[in-house]
Amino acid sequence: MGFALPAAIGAKFGALDRTVVAIIGDGRFPDDFAGIRHNYANRHRCKDHHSEQPFPGYGRQWQELFNERRYSFVDIQSPDFVRLASAYNIPGKKIDNRTELPAVLNEMLSTKGSFLLEVMVTKENNVFPMVPQDAVWPRSG
């Protein structure tokens, strides 16, 4: 929660000649966004791949699968992070179609300096495997 971009900045200090990409998802980017200012101010040149899902995480997934979609406190409204990054002169792109990803990843990796890539994820994409309530993983027997 808010550690990916600071960790990437630290990794960049340890490997100044290498490309460092922070992969952030599940609605956690607002916790990391202060790192964008630090990244810009100190010219760390970290790349950021951010996945934005308006209904993030296992909490939402549990509510969907086990509680008949009775959602509570999972609909996250976020600002336009690409526009915010541009305020720090950090280029970026927002995509919502998987077919765009290869070209934009190439653009991100070939850009000198920092770059913000925001990948929009549909509201009800799930992550599996998932351990059901009162179960043990891996299942024995």
Side-chain angles (χ1 to χ4, degrees):
M1 298 176 87
F3 181 68
L5 189 54
I9 291 169
K12 186 65 175 176
F13 274 115
L16 294 172
D17 59 328
R18 299 187 68 183
T19 298
V20 175
V21 178
I23 299 175
I24 305 167
D26 199 26
R28 298 293 172 226
F29 191 64
D31 300 334
D32 271 328
F33 194 77
I36 290 285
R37 182 177 61 205
H38 184 74
N39 194 21
Y40 166 73
N42 295 289
R43 296 178 190 84
H44 296 310
R45 298 181 179 87
C46 290
K47 315 284 186 193
D48 178 41
H49 174 290
H50 160 59
S51 297
E52 178 64 28
Q53 184 177 21
F55 274 13
Y58 270 168
R60 191 257 337 131
Q61 188 167 319
W62 279 65
Q63 292 170 16
E64 175 189 343
L65 299 175
F66 302 118
N67 297 304
E68 300 168 353
R69 288 191 165 92
R70 290 190 307 268
Y71 296 125
S72 175
F73 304 104
V74 294
D75 189 6
I76 294 177
Q77 303 299 315
S78 296
D80 185 336
F81 291 115
V82 173
R83 287 182 68 196
L84 286 172
S86 74
Y88 291 102
N89 295 318
I90 294 173
K93 289 272 174 88
K94 178 188 285 190
I95 63 170
D96 60 7
N97 189 320
R98 179 178 293 190
T99 61
E100 299 173 88
L101 190 57
V104 177
L105 279 174
N106 284 331
E107 179 183 354
M108 177 181 80
L109 294 173
S110 65
T111 298
K112 288 215 178 274
S114 301
F115 190 96
L116 175 69
L117 171 56
E118 185 171 20
V119 179
M120 303 305 292
V121 179
T122 59
K123 281 189 171 187
E124 291 187 341
N125 274 8
N126 291 328
V127 178
F128 294 104
M130 185 175 174
V131 180
Q133 299 165 333
D134 299 324
V136 176
W137 192 267
R139 294 182 183 175
S140 58

